[in-house]
Structure formats: structure tokens, C-alpha cells
Amino acid sequence: DAKTTQPPSMDCAEGRAANLPCNHSTISGNEYVYWYRQIHSQGPQYIIHGLKNNETNEMASLIITEDRKSSTLILPHATLRDTAVYYCIVRVFPEDMRFGAGTRLTVKP
Amino acid sequence: SQTIHQWPATLVQPVGSPLSLECTVEGTSNPNLYWYRQAAGRGLQLLFYSVGIGQISSEVPQNLSASRPQDRQFILSSKKLLLSDSGFYLCAWSVSGIQETQYFGPGTRLLVL
């Protein structure tokens, strides 16, 4: 069972920021938050991960609340190619990488 | 940089036929390797993982098996396919560590008829 809760779907206008929420209220102190996305018929793509500090890379930013019970993935300028299912995963090695249902993000022109 | 390859990309097989899916990783040594299956519209299910040559751990008992004949090669096999084996098969690699991140291949779509 996934340890996270995500909305099943979201829409975003092209060029605007996409903010994808994730609840992980039972997260333990040594568990990391990972984000992946899966574009239709492709393998999941790693986006970003973090423990407690906010993280940013060339793809996205990850904002983790101070109590670590939720996080938000931010795509700063969404494009049509960002349309995908986004997965939020909480785990610590060597636990399984457990993918839930994710959030289907649709970027609209 | 590291790359992961899977083939074939798609496969249609009759029930009862054998299966062999191959995964290779380039640009890294002694990776952890994983086989996942994704049924239509569902999340990923871990099938097998390997931390080294000849070392295979099975997560789900079934008619599939895995082998790792070389450091960067992972093979998923079956002697007799079932209809329920249809799905999207994904191979992934990682390097051991607390922040172990898994990187996925392009996948093989298998349809058993």
C-alpha cells in the first residue's frame, strides 16, 4: 500500500506553474520523498527527491512542509510535454519503490 | 552518463509460449537491478531485484523467473506464459545508498493472447 495521498487529476494552463500536492502524514524521520512521472507508454522518469529541505533542479522544485507531512512538486513553467501521471513516493532504502495511482496532470494550451 | 535499454519494445505471444525479456545498463558498475510489472491503469508491482551477478530476490511468486548472467544484464523469463502475464514490464537500475534513486528503462509491452 502506498504511504501517500495525491489528487487523481489536475489541470494546468501552458506556461503557468503546476503545483502538485502530496500528503504523507505517516512519514518517518528517515524516509525520503521521491517524485517520478510517467508519460503515456513510457517508463517512469525520476524528477526529484528530498528529506526535509526544499530541493530544486532543472526539472522542478520540491517543497516539504516543516512537519514533513506533506509536500508539493512545482513545475515552474508547464509545457504540453509535461502532461503525465505524477507519482509521489515515500521510502527509505532498501524498501520497495511503491507507486500508487498518482496524479494525472493535463497541461492545456 | 548511464543509460538503460530494454527489448523488445512490444511483444505479442500466445498462451503457453516461452518468454525472454532483456535489460542492459551502460555507464555504471555493480548496479542494483529491478523488474517491475504495470497492469493497465495501475501502479507498478516489483517482481524481482538483484544486488549482484547470480543474486536474485523474488517479491511475488508466479510463473516468471529472473536471471543476472552479467553485471549489467538482467533477464526476465517464463517457460509458459499465462493470459495474466500481459502488461508493461519495466527494468530499473540504482546504486545502493540511503538516497537510492531508481532509474527506469523504456519498458516492454507484452500482450499474451
Side-chain angles (χ1 to χ4, degrees):
Chain A
D1 294 328
K3 301 178 184 178
T4 62
T5 303
Q6 299 178 254
S9 64
M10 293 181 62
D11 291 341
C12 177
E14 188 178 20
R16 304 296 294 270
N19 296 280
L20 292 94
C22 180
N23 285 324
H24 30 80
S25 58
T26 61
I27 192 170
S28 62
N30 58 349
E31 288 182 312
Y32 284 77
V33 180
Y34 292 81
W35 283 85
Y36 284 77
R37 72 180 183 185
Q38 189 172 23
I39 297 170
H40 183 63
S41 297
Q42 297 182 22
Q45 179 188 22
Y46 165 77
I47 301 173
I48 199 168
H49 75 280
L51 183 62
K52 54 178 121 178
N53 297 323
N54 297 338
E55 302 287 345
T56 295
N57 62 20
E58 65 278 5
M59 289 183 66
S61 294
L62 173 60
I63 309 298
I64 302 174
T65 58
E66 192 168 343
D67 64 7
R68 302 187 70 236
K69 293 184 177 181
S70 66
S71 61
T72 301
L73 178 74
I74 301 173
L75 307 178
H77 305 286
T79 71
L80 299 179
R81 288 180 293 183
D82 291 322
T83 292
V85 178
Y86 287 77
Y87 298 98
C88 170
I89 300 161
V90 166
R91 65 157 328 224
V92 58
F93 181 81
E95 291 178 359
D96 293 352
M97 187 72 72
R98 299 196 175 196
F99 288 71
T103 295
R104 183 172 299 277
L105 175 68
T106 302
V107 180
K108 298 185 175 181
Chain B
S1 63
Q2 300 86 4
T3 55
I4 179 169
H5 304 278
Q6 286 186 246
W7 64 90
T10 60
L11 191 59
V12 180
Q13 292 285 95
V15 169
S17 64
L19 173 74
S20 181
L21 303 181
E22 189 163 344
C23 170
T24 59
V25 180
E26 296 177 357
T28 187
S29 296
N30 195 31
N32 297 326
L33 296 173
Y34 305 82
W35 278 112
Y36 288 85
R37 177 170 61 200
Q38 185 175 33
R42 304 187 67 177
L44 276 67
Q45 177 187 36
L46 179 63
L47 302 175
F48 301 94
Y49 68 93
S50 171
V51 298
I53 296 174
Q55 301 178 60
I56 309 294
S57 296
S58 174
E59 293 295 304
V60 182
Q62 57 211 326
N63 69 321
L64 299 172
S65 62
S67 62
R68 185 169 177 174
Q70 300 180 43
D71 181 45
R72 290 169 289 176
Q73 183 184 30
F74 206 22
I75 297 172
L76 183 69
S77 304
S78 174
K79 293 182 179 179
K80 288 186 177 182
L81 284 169
L82 307 173
L83 288 174
S84 57
D85 292 324
S86 293
F88 191 40
Y89 288 82
L90 291 153
C91 181
W93 71 272
S94 72
V95 176
S96 292
I98 298 298
Q99 299 187 48
E100 186 228 21
T101 299
Q102 293 182 20
Y103 299 93
F104 288 81
T108 294
R109 193 162 299 280
L110 172 66
L111 178 60
V112 182
L113 300 176

